[in-house]
Amino acid sequence: MNLSRNDLCWCGSGLKYKKCHIEFDKKLNSLESQGFQVPQRQIIKTKEQIEGIRKSAIVNSAVLDLVAKNIKEGMSTEEIDKLVHDYTISQGAVPATLNFQGYTKSLCTSINSEVCHGIPSENVILKNGDIVNIDVSTILDGYFSDASRMFIIGETSEEAKKLVEVSRECLYKGIEAVKPWGFLDDIGAAVQEHAEKHGYSVVKDFGGHGIGLEFHEEPFVAHYGNRGEGMILVPGMIFTIEPMINEGSHEIVVDSEDGWTVYTEDGSLSSQWEHTILVTEDGVEILSK
């Protein structure tokens, strides 16, 4: 779309292009002409879209807060699924995982050596010492949000506690690396450096993703890489950062029976935290607080 200076801006602000995104677009075009990878306009969110995604994230965070208040030893992961489903629906929202590509549950519950996409079941009972990732995604008024937290059930080993804490630190190292007009791969580099400093590995087969108007959008957010590489980050981009950190090897396997649950190949523990974040003019906003 070629706009003249006096046309209304493409972002929906109601302002003329010359008073809104014209300098932004000039900067992007200049960077692209220099060979940098720049985001396409459709993944740069408007103010209206950002507000919708922010409201979705508020519900999503409330779901995780509810889980935090109720999760306990002896609880089945099916009970957690019902808790999440019922609360999400009560808020006028929908669990994004429900019926997504054939997935039949309202969240993912990944325990111990499960890296991600664990399926809730009445036969899976939380035990003392388990570490579990609760991954929740919400659609509210057509807008998507996504976040996950780790929970320790009862008393666990010092090794497991350390993995959970370091993986959380990895998430925030990645968030700290987000800079407007910086590079996407700075995120992965920061995560990888911190994980490997503690002797852990980073899962490479899965990563973060753009989100907001759809469940999964561009860009793919790797949690490893080299600084100064990848797509240019610009204000208005929204994506998840969700490093999966393994105690042992980074290699993973997918359950051949259910086609969803991902395990560490060597049976070691895995831990993941996730936030939905917005790139702003002067830094980053965590939407999934």
Side-chain angles (χ1 to χ4, degrees):
M1 181 191 303
N2 293 317
L3 297 176
S4 69
R5 292 173 56 82
N6 290 313
D7 286 337
L8 292 179
C9 188
W10 55 263
C11 75
S13 65
L15 298 174
K16 291 183 178 180
Y17 186 42
K18 65 183 179 183
K19 295 289 188 180
C20 197
H21 270 90
I22 192 168
E23 294 303 323
F24 177 95
D25 285 348
K26 284 179 180 179
K27 189 170 184 177
L28 271 188
N29 292 336
S30 174
L31 288 166
E32 187 173 28
S33 69
Q34 295 173 57
F36 292 102
Q37 182 185 358
V38 301
Q40 297 301 303
R41 186 174 290 171
Q42 60 264 30
I43 69 172
I44 302 171
K45 304 300 188 289
T46 67
K47 288 183 179 179
E48 179 181 356
Q49 291 167 346
I50 290 169
E51 187 56 30
I53 299 164
R54 184 180 282 115
K55 289 178 180 177
S56 175
I58 289 171
V59 174
N60 201 68
S61 297
V63 173
L64 285 169
D65 289 343
L66 182 65
V67 172
K69 292 177 182 177
N70 288 275
I71 195 168
K72 61 183 177 180
E73 181 181 355
M75 190 178 201
S76 73
T77 53
E78 181 70 25
E79 289 177 82
I80 301 173
D81 184 75
K82 185 177 188 316
L83 189 72
V84 166
H85 179 272
D86 290 351
Y87 180 81
T88 304
I89 298 300
S90 76
Q91 300 303 300
V94 179
T97 58
L98 188 61
N99 300 318
F100 176 75
Q101 296 183 354
Y103 192 82
T104 60
K105 299 296 181 178
S106 296
L107 79 161
C108 298
T109 53
S110 305
I111 303 171
N112 297 332
S113 63
E114 295 174 351
V115 175
C116 60
H117 304 159
I119 304 174
S121 168
E122 62 183 7
N123 298 318
V124 178
I125 309 299
L126 297 178
K127 304 184 302 296
N128 183 61
D130 283 343
I131 61 171
V132 54
N133 177 265
I134 301 296
D135 191 347
V136 175
S137 310
T138 298
I139 311 170
L140 179 68
D141 298 329
Y143 293 106
F144 292 75
S145 57
D146 193 5
S148 78
R149 299 178 194 171
M150 291 298 297
F151 296 95
I152 295 173
I153 307 303
E155 292 296 324
T156 194
S157 67
E158 290 302 316
E159 291 80 9
K161 288 179 184 177
K162 180 183 176 185
L163 176 65
V164 170
E165 182 55 33
V166 171
S167 64
R168 184 175 184 275
E169 292 170 359
C170 283
L171 167 63
Y172 284 95
K173 291 290 184 182
I175 293 172
E176 289 169 8
V178 175
K179 309 292 182 187
W181 307 103
F183 294 91
L184 181 65
D185 287 7
D186 288 354
I187 298 169
V191 169
Q192 184 178 19
E193 288 166 9
H194 193 69
E196 293 180 352
K197 183 176 75 173
H198 289 275
Y200 300 136
S201 64
V202 179
V203 172
K204 298 182 178 181
D205 298 79
F206 295 93
H209 52 87
I211 191 169
L213 307 185
E214 297 180 19
F215 198 173
H216 295 98
E217 304 173 357
E218 293 297 326
F220 175 78
V221 182
H223 298 116
Y224 64 97
N226 300 311
R227 295 181 187 275
E229 296 182 0
M231 183 181 288
I232 298 293
L233 300 176
V234 304
M237 290 177 68
I238 295 180
F239 49 83
T240 69
I241 300 176
E242 47 183 300
M244 302 166 200
I245 308 300
N246 292 351
E247 191 175 35
S249 166
H250 73 274
E251 299 290 349
I252 54 94
V253 291
V254 179
D255 190 295
S256 59
E257 293 186 10
D258 68 38
W260 282 100
T261 309
V262 178
Y263 298 90
T264 57
E265 187 177 58
D266 58 10
S268 63
L269 295 176
S270 186
S271 179
Q272 177 196 19
W273 297 78
E274 175 186 11
H275 272 311
T276 294
I277 68 101
L278 164 69
V279 183
T280 66
E281 294 286 347
D282 55 3
V284 62
E285 177 186 347
I286 299 173
L287 299 180
S288 54
K289 293 180 180 178

